[in-house]
Amino acid sequence: VSKILDLVENASEKKSTSEHFITRFARYYTPCVVIAAALLFALPSLALALLDTNALPGFLTGTVWQDWLHRALIFLVISCPCALVISVPLSFFGGIGGASRCGILVKGGNYLEALAHTETVVFDKTGTLTRGTFTVTAIHPQEPYTEEQLLQSAALAEHWSDHPISLSLKAACRAPLDAARVTDVEELGGFGLTAQVDGHAVAVGNRRLMEKLDIQPAEPQKAGTVVYVAVDGVYAGCILLGDVVKEHAAQAIRSLKAEGIEKTVMLTGDADAAARQVASQLGVDEVHSQLLPADKVRQVERLLQERKDGRLLAFVGDGINDAPVLARADIGIAMGALGSDAAIEAADVVLMDDDPAKIALAMRISRRTLRIVYENIVFALAVKAVCLVLGAIGIANMWLAIGADVGVMVLAVLNATRALSAGKE
């Protein structure tokens, strides 16, 4: 767990976030309009006083510059950015609210904005595209072991673990599992575990564990998640597990393609054959298997290097092992129903019902929200630009100035409330 947390902290330091347009705009807009209003008042008044000596007494009494002061004040009222300051954040709040009604928790407006610019979506396999509930499909013991003996040894060694694979092995074993028969359990992250069962050294895990113990296992003919078992340093057989693909997983990949996602990638610590079988079934573009948590981070780093400028990468996962990758990706999406607390904490978006098809919906909500934001920005700036010119040349009065300020704000706010229904379309 400490290694996982260290990876999350290091990855979070590199993470980029998008900045709202209104923040960048206000940095230049506010001082510019204040200076423009001051110049609109000062320059014509001084020019009249300097060019026409007869106007000097009127300048001192205020009759000369009173008209230009009035125009400058109208200019300031018109230029007030209320419509932008209120409607832009409100549009994002509406989009977040609309997403939450659909079971999608977005942790901020910047993450909602980032979804609209996503180019690549990377998935974890187990628990994300598949249900993560394994069932034993085949047992291949080596002599002198029987299927029952091999399964019982593996289930006993896994007795104290709550990993989905461990739970499936214990559920498949019909013989009683006495915890007193198991001692010296040692879990090896990304490999499996070793334990003493009835005084015999039992190792249960993936092919990497067997290679680490200098044991050469046999390769099963069928594809699936393979659990290798060794007893006293000798290969005893393997157990084949099957994971069920989520009902809407294939539809999720197709929907992402329809939304313009250019590449879908699957990263998993599972065996290569099982990973490629799921990827082929779902239509995933690229698959990388037998990965440790640090390997997943490196793969995401590579994909980040390959992406186009301005386009973002999203990672979808559910387990504690996915937390570093969720933190490193431009936008992390976690499964909220069965996902680990670490994954939910590291993610920027949480799917409350674990349905991967909601990712495409989240992107549609994001793009519709951004359209509303851009509508408000263009509308507000266009109306204000016209009214500012009219105010500067003396055509606009204070009533028009108030309409250009408050009226535009009300219309922009009403348009922003459309974002609340973004998920219904």
Side-chain angles (χ1 to χ4, degrees):
V1 171
S2 62
K3 290 180 181 178
I4 295 293
L5 292 175
D6 181 60
L7 285 169
V8 171
E9 289 172 1
N10 291 335
S12 296
E13 292 175 359
K14 302 178 184 177
K15 184 167 185 176
S16 61
T17 56
S18 59
E19 189 177 7
H20 290 157
F21 169 82
I22 191 61
T23 304
R24 299 190 299 269
F25 180 78
R27 187 181 305 164
Y28 304 101
Y29 177 80
T30 303
C32 285
V33 295
V34 172
I35 293 171
L39 293 176
L40 180 62
F41 162 66
L43 292 181
S45 301
L46 291 174
L48 285 173
L50 294 175
L51 295 176
D52 187 0
T53 56
N54 295 325
L56 186 59
F59 181 81
L60 295 174
T61 58
T63 56
V64 172
W65 50 260
Q66 185 177 5
D67 178 59
W68 291 105
L69 176 61
H70 186 67
R71 293 189 192 188
L73 293 175
I74 290 175
F75 187 94
L76 276 177
V77 172
I78 296 171
S79 65
C80 183
C82 292
L84 295 176
V85 173
I86 295 175
S87 68
V88 171
L90 188 62
S91 299
F92 282 104
F93 296 155
I96 292 172
S100 66
R101 291 180 180 180
C102 300
I104 305 166
L105 173 63
V106 184
K107 294 185 178 179
N110 54 334
Y111 303 125
L112 187 67
E113 186 179 8
L115 280 169
H117 304 297
T118 302
E119 173 190 61
T120 304
V121 179
V122 184
F123 293 91
D124 172 54
K125 181 180 80 71
T126 306
T128 303
L129 293 174
T130 63
R131 293 183 180 177
T133 53
F134 295 91
T135 55
V136 175
T137 58
I139 303 174
H140 302 288
Q142 295 287 104
E143 293 184 356
Y145 298 98
T146 64
E147 292 185 2
E148 290 77 9
Q149 289 174 330
L150 182 69
L151 181 59
Q152 186 177 20
S153 296
L156 282 168
E158 299 271 7
H159 187 274
W160 299 108
S161 175
D162 58 357
H163 190 279
I165 289 178
S166 304
L167 298 176
S168 65
L169 291 175
K170 289 182 284 188
C173 184
R174 298 178 180 178
L177 301 176
D178 185 3
R181 300 167 60 185
V182 186
T183 58
D184 301 330
V185 178
E186 182 182 1
E187 293 202 33
L188 307 171
F191 293 89
L193 57 80
T194 60
Q196 291 287 327
V197 179
D198 295 332
H200 296 280
V202 178
V204 184
N206 53 27
R207 176 172 282 275
R208 288 195 300 269
L209 177 60
M210 297 295 108
E211 292 171 353
K212 184 177 182 178
L213 300 175
D214 293 326
I215 298 171
Q216 185 61 40
E219 192 68 33
Q221 298 299 318
K222 293 183 178 181
T225 301
V226 185
V227 178
Y228 298 97
V229 183
V231 179
D232 293 329
V234 179
Y235 178 63
C238 66
I239 302 170
L240 200 63
L241 302 176
D243 193 4
V244 181
V245 173
K246 285 186 177 179
E247 182 181 358
H248 299 134
Q251 178 60 42
I253 302 297
R254 291 193 296 270
S255 298
L256 288 173
K257 294 289 186 182
E259 289 297 319
I261 297 301
E262 297 184 9
K263 181 189 287 187
T264 54
V265 183
M266 187 174 74
L267 306 180
T268 179
D270 210 343
D272 187 65
R276 293 193 178 278
Q277 182 185 42
V278 173
S280 176
Q281 183 178 351
L282 299 179
V284 177
D285 299 324
E286 188 178 319
V287 58
H288 300 276
S289 57
Q290 297 177 318
L291 301 177
L292 295 173
D295 297 329
K296 291 183 178 181
V297 175
R298 281 192 287 270
Q299 287 290 343
V300 167
E301 292 281 2
R302 178 185 62 81
L303 291 167
L304 288 170
Q305 295 283 337
E306 296 174 356
R307 67 183 173 172
K308 298 177 183 177
D309 292 338
R311 306 298 287 172
L312 305 180
L313 179 145
F315 179 82
V316 190
D318 71 309
I320 186 172
N321 289 344
D322 299 323
V325 204
L326 287 165
R328 178 62 191 100
D330 291 314
I331 183 163
I333 304 174
M335 299 294 162
L338 298 177
S340 70
D341 291 343
I344 294 171
E345 180 69 23
D348 309 311
V349 178
V350 181
L351 306 180
M352 302 311 295
D353 56 1
D354 289 1
D355 185 358
K358 292 288 181 68
I359 302 170
L361 175 60
M363 291 180 177
R364 287 198 297 274
I365 293 173
S366 171
R367 287 170 183 155
R368 186 170 188 270
T369 301
L370 282 186
R371 281 199 302 271
I372 293 172
V373 169
Y374 296 150
E375 288 169 3
N376 283 338
I377 291 173
V378 172
F379 173 68
L381 292 181
V383 172
K384 285 183 179 294
V386 172
C387 292
L388 284 173
V389 174
L390 296 177
I393 62 179
I395 296 177
N397 56 23
M398 189 59 74
W399 289 110
L400 181 61
I402 294 172
D405 178 27
V406 179
V408 170
M409 179 196 67
V410 172
L411 291 175
V413 167
L414 290 175
N415 189 45
T417 57
R418 291 170 50 224
L420 285 166
S421 60
K424 298 179 181 179
E425 297 185 357

